[in-house]
Amino acid sequence: MDIQAIISQLKDKFGDNFDIAKVTDALKGIDLKNLNFTEIVSKLHADGLLKNVNLDSLKGNVLDGLKEKAGGMLGGIFGK
């Protein structure tokens, strides 16, 4: 995931509740290859770069997506 894609997703998810320049600088120092979006958001939040961010709602959305994906995979395995 590249920095511009992450910034775009952050804007879509959180609006203008963060300083784009500071977040961009922070992202340049992170190895983004092995992190998913939720992990990146958690790291930025822990560093104090994302304010007024509800991480529980983000985690819920990610978990719901994983449940759907797992259900589809299991359905495919069992022919349902």
Side-chain angles (χ1 to χ4, degrees), residues 12-32:
D12 289 345
K13 184 73 179 165
F14 306 117
D16 294 323
N17 289 335
F18 64 98
D19 184 327
I20 294 172
K22 287 181 181 179
V23 169
T24 301
D25 286 341
L27 291 173
K28 289 178 183 177
I30 300 173
D31 181 11
L32 302 172

Side-chain angles (χ1 to χ4, degrees), residues 26-27 30 40-51:
L27 291 173
I30 300 173
I40 293 167
V41 170
S42 294
K43 171 120 181 76
L44 293 171
H45 187 267
D47 291 345
L49 296 171
L50 298 177
K51 298 177 182 172

Side-chain angles (χ1 to χ4, degrees), residues 55-75:
L55 293 180
D56 290 334
S57 69
L58 178 64
K59 290 177 186 173
N61 290 338
V62 170
L63 290 176
D64 290 343
L66 290 174
K67 287 178 189 175
E68 287 179 27
K69 198 178 263 188
M73 290 172 56
L74 289 174

